[in-house]
């Protein structure tokens, strides 16, 4: 994640250059104010007018630079946050499918909201302000050094002491932020589960149970936040008290130096005003440093979520599917639950296969293995003689099409949902509409293909979503079509006609996993595999 942030550093540098110019201009403004005070106080009228004009010009310059600085900081934060969010999403889609499926989506939602917002406030913003504070400190340190080095050394000494104490005190805060990040992850997961169980809660009158559990989790999270706020308040109170003591010491020292004649009245005013300008950056640094340190654990946790635990290197590229897919003596288990043992099957190029079996018998698992979502524990799956495990996912996915049980609809036009944003000629789109049984649906839409499907298809039925998924597959021009209960939500007659259309496509290899067997079409399959009891049996072999 830090790599994505690092690409925003040019904007950080640009902003800090503007900040440095602002600090230098303010420094010169203070020097001229000192000189004009001394001119007036010591009755040296010569040069007053020129200094007054210079002060006016520098004041305008400070105003312009401060406005520019605000804009530069805004661009920096915008760029850094956009880069990190885009990087995070891209890395999520780089996850192995099997690893992603094992984890809760709420974990990723928590990272994208709670954790990245914390990084924005406690790291992105804080890095800019801390760097600016350091620049301001050195600029005004040089100004004070020009008046009296003793006061400057006193400020630096106390600053080093304060910095050491702040670093020591910030260590527990880092641990607290890491603990809260994990609590947020669990909290988001729980809320997601509760909302998914909405119907069960309502119909079984589980309001009290859910309210009690929710209250306990919320209380735990708020207690951790309160612990962070309480400790942060203690740190900031200590730092502010020390800073106030430092400022008082500087004022007393400056006044004493006027009595000894070492500093003029203008010099005293410059020291006091710029001491405050040195102390203010120090206060900021003392507050920001613990926040920046605390984000280290969040960055580490996010990188761990995005890391693929399975580091198998895929080496083979394919240009298509030419001969057959062979499952050879394959075994597979979910933890201790064995699904397959010694399975041998062959799927030949251009042929059509129906995979049936009881619920939980393993037919959907077989499809996941063929889709390269999981790897077999023993044996092999070969595509044209190449181990499927060795074939690069992107290369393999270009040659397969899927109709999943869960269908996602983009908040976009029907046309874009059918083509999935690929350039496709109208003739092919119309053919896919006919083949998927969408013709009457499209014809009844006022805007036709330009109709917007909203919020994952909430304005269409489940059957219409299934037909859209089938049309996508027909438009994909791939070698292999995997169907996973594709006809379950369709009327029998519609499902029959769509299945027949698909099975009559030449050169397309179809592997259909379904508990729905349409007898009128069963003769169109080249083979039917029955999966149950850890085995897979061909209809032809059974005969």
């Amino acid at each position: 994640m830090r790599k994505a942030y690092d690409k925003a550093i040019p904007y950080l540098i640009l902003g800090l250059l503007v900040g440095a110019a602002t600090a230098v201009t303010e420094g010169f403004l203070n020097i001229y104010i000192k000189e004009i005070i001394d001119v007036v106080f010591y009755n040296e009228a010569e040069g007053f007018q020129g200094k007054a004009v210079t002060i006016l010009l520098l004041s305008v310059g400070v105003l312009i630079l401060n406005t520019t600085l605000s804009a530069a900081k805004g661009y920096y934060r915008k760029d850094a946050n956009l880069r990190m969010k885009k990087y995070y999403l891209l890395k999520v889609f780089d996850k192995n499918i099997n690893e992603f499926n094992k984890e809760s989506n709420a974990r990723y939602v928590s990272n994208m909201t709670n954790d990245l917002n914390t990084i924005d406030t406690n790291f992105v913003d804080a890095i800019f302000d801390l760097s600016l504070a350091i620049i301001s400190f050195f600029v005004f340190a040089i100004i004070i050094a020009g008046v009296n080095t003793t006061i400057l050394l006193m400020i630096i000494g106390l600053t080093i002491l304060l910095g050491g104490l702040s670093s020591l005190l910030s260590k527990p805060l880092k641990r607290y932020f890491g603990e809260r990040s994990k609590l947020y992850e669990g909290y988001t997961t729980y809320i997601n589960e509760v909302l998914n169980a909405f119907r069960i809660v309502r119909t079984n009158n589980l309001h009290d149970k859910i309210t009690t559990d929710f209250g306990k989790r919320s209380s735990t999270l708020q207690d951790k936040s309160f612990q962070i706020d309480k400790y942060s308040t203690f740190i900031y109170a200590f730092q502010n008290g020390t800073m106030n003591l430092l400022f008082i010491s500087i004022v007393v020292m400056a006044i004493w130096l006027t009595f000894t004649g070492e500093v003029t009245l203008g010099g005293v005013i410059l020291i006091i005003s710029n001491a405050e300008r040195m102390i203010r950056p120090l206060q900021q640094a003392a507050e920001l440093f613990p926040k920046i340190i605390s984000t280290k654990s969040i960055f580490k946790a996010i990188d761990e979520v995005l890391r693929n635990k399975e580091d198998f290197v895929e080496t083979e590229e394919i240009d298509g599917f030419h001969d057959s897919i062979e499952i050879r003596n394959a075994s597979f288990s979910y933890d201790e639950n064995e699904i397959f043992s010694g399975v041998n099957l062959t799927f030949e190029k251009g042929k059509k296969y129906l995979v049936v079996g009881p619920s939980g018998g393993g037919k959907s698992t077989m499809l996941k293995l063929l889709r390269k979502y999981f790897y077999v524990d023993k044996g092999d799956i070969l595509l044209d003689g190449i181990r499927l495990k060795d074939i690069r996912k992107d290369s393999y996915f270009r040659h397969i099409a899927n109709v999943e049980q869960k269908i996602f609809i983009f908040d976009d036009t029907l046309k874009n949902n059918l083509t999935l944003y690929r350039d496709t000629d109208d003739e092919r789109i119309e053919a896919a509409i006919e083949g998927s049984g969408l013709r009457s649906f499209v014809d009844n839409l006022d805007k036709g293909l330009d109709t917007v499907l909203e919020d994952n298809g909430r304005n269409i039925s489940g059957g219409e979503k299934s037909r859209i998924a089938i049309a996508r597959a027909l438009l994909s021009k791939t070698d292999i079509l995997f169907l996973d209960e594709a006809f379950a939500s369709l009327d029998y007659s519609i499902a029959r006609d769509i299945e027949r259309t698909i099975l009559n496509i030449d050169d397309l290899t179809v592997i259909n996993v379904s508990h729905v067997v349409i007898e009128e079409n069963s003769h169109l399959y080249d083979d039917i595999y029955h999966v149950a009891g850890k085995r897979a049996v061909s209809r032809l072999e059974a005969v």
Side-chain angles (χ1 to χ4, degrees), residues 95 103 107 299-309:
K95 290 278 289 186
E103 297 169 344
R107 187 177 190 181
F299 274 115
K300 184 178 179 180
I302 289 176
D303 287 337
E304 182 62 24
V305 169
L306 296 176
R307 184 176 66 86
N308 279 314
K309 280 72 175 178

Side-chain angles (χ1 to χ4, degrees), residues 354 403-404 435 466-467 470 481 483-492 494-500 502-503 510 512-516 518 521 525:
L354 178 63
V403 179
E404 306 270 5
S466 294
R467 278 174 272 179
I470 292 168
L481 173 60
L483 302 171
D484 187 3
E485 303 292 356
F487 310 121
S489 61
L490 299 178
D491 292 337
Y492 185 86
I494 294 173
R496 179 194 61 210
D497 294 342
I498 295 173
E499 183 182 40
R500 186 173 297 160
I502 292 172
L503 295 177
V510 177
N512 178 21
V513 169
S514 178
H515 71 275
V516 176
I518 300 173
N521 294 336
Y525 285 99

Side-chain angles (χ1 to χ4, degrees), residues 249-393:
S249 301
I250 292 169
V251 171
V252 172
M253 177 65 75
I255 293 172
W256 170 255
L257 291 173
T258 59
F259 288 123
T260 62
E262 294 182 43
V263 180
T264 64
L265 177 61
V268 171
I269 294 174
L270 182 142
I271 288 172
I272 293 174
S273 63
N274 283 280
E276 190 274 332
R277 288 174 179 270
M278 281 187 69
I279 291 171
R280 184 172 57 187
L282 291 177
Q283 286 176 315
Q284 284 183 290
E287 293 176 5
L288 295 171
F289 186 70
K291 289 183 178 181
I292 293 171
I293 293 298
S294 71
T295 59
K296 184 178 179 180
S297 59
I298 299 177
F299 274 115
K300 184 178 179 180
I302 289 176
D303 287 337
E304 182 62 24
V305 169
L306 296 176
R307 184 176 66 86
N308 279 314
K309 280 72 175 178
E310 189 178 87
D311 56 358
F312 182 81
V313 179
E314 301 165 336
T315 57
E316 299 291 334
E317 292 279 346
I318 60 170
D319 60 1
F321 174 45
H322 306 290
D323 184 24
S324 66
I325 300 175
E326 296 179 73
I327 301 178
R328 290 186 182 175
N329 199 31
S331 299
F332 178 79
S333 302
Y334 288 117
D335 297 325
E336 301 299 321
N337 181 26
E338 188 176 47
I339 307 299
F340 296 120
S341 178
V343 171
N344 291 279
L345 291 176
T346 299
F347 302 93
E348 295 181 16
K349 166 74 175 178
K351 291 188 176 182
K352 313 313 189 256
Y353 299 89
L354 178 63
V355 180
V356 298
S359 178
K363 57 185 185 295
S364 291
T365 299
M366 177 180 289
L367 197 58
K368 290 176 180 176
L369 291 169
L370 292 171
R371 284 170 166 166
K372 203 171 161 60
Y373 292 178
F374 298 103
Y375 300 128
V376 293
D377 299 327
K378 296 179 181 178
D380 269 319
I381 298 179
L382 306 176
L383 185 141
D384 294 339
I386 303 170
R387 282 205 316 169
L388 187 61
K389 187 175 183 179
D390 293 327
I391 298 173
R392 295 182 187 276
K393 289 184 180 68

Side-chain angles (χ1 to χ4, degrees), residues 41-98:
F41 188 76
Y42 296 106
N43 296 316
E44 297 174 3
E46 185 179 349
F48 176 84
Q49 187 175 357
K51 288 180 172 54
V53 172
T54 302
I55 287 172
L56 178 61
L57 292 174
L58 287 172
S59 298
V60 173
V62 168
L63 176 62
I64 294 172
L65 285 169
N66 273 319
T67 303
T68 306
L69 177 61
S70 179
K73 180 181 178 181
Y75 278 114
Y76 154 71
R77 288 186 67 183
K78 174 184 175 182
D79 186 71
N81 282 293
L82 281 176
R83 286 184 185 278
M84 286 192 291
K85 288 176 180 178
K86 288 179 180 179
Y87 172 84
Y88 184 89
L89 194 61
L90 286 172
K91 293 298 288 184
V92 167
F93 284 107
D94 279 342
K95 290 278 289 186
N96 292 329
I97 295 175
N98 57 329

Side-chain angles (χ1 to χ4, degrees), residues 93-249:
F93 284 107
D94 279 342
K95 290 278 289 186
N96 292 329
I97 295 175
N98 57 329
E99 291 185 29
F100 181 84
N101 288 337
K102 290 178 182 178
E103 297 169 344
S104 169
N105 288 349
R107 187 177 190 181
Y108 299 99
V109 173
S110 180
N111 283 162
M112 287 283 282
T113 53
N114 302 319
D115 291 338
L116 286 182
N117 285 340
T118 300
I119 287 172
D120 174 37
T121 303
N122 290 2
F123 185 81
V124 176
D125 190 35
I127 284 286
F128 190 96
D129 289 340
L130 178 61
S131 301
L132 204 59
I134 293 170
I135 291 170
S136 297
F137 175 83
F138 281 107
V139 168
F140 293 112
I142 293 169
I143 293 171
I144 290 178
V147 178
N148 188 276
T149 55
T150 302
I151 291 180
L152 176 63
L153 292 173
M154 182 177 73
I155 294 173
I156 292 174
L158 290 173
T159 299
I160 293 172
L161 176 61
L162 180 63
L165 290 172
S166 295
S167 177
L168 185 64
L169 291 171
S170 67
K171 289 184 178 179
L173 201 59
K174 173 185 173 182
R175 185 179 75 252
Y176 295 155
F177 272 108
E179 291 171 354
R180 188 173 68 173
S181 176
K182 291 182 180 179
L183 287 174
Y184 265 124
E185 179 185 313
Y187 189 67
T188 307
T189 301
Y190 175 75
I191 291 173
N192 185 56
E193 291 172 351
V194 166
L195 293 177
N196 286 334
F198 176 83
R199 294 183 182 86
I200 296 175
V201 173
R202 286 297 303 273
T203 56
N204 291 277
N205 197 27
L206 296 174
H207 310 80
D208 292 341
K209 164 66 175 172
I210 296 299
T211 302
T212 301
D213 290 347
F214 181 74
K216 289 179 180 178
R217 290 173 180 270
S218 298
S219 178
T220 301
L221 181 58
Q222 289 304 124
D223 285 344
K224 182 58 65 176
S225 295
F226 176 71
Q227 189 177 21
I228 290 173
D229 292 340
K230 183 173 66 175
Y231 195 79
S232 297
T233 301
F234 164 74
I235 293 175
Y236 300 154
F238 170 80
Q239 291 167 344
N240 288 332
T242 308
M243 290 295 181
N244 290 332
L245 182 61
L246 174 59
F247 182 72
I248 292 170
S249 301

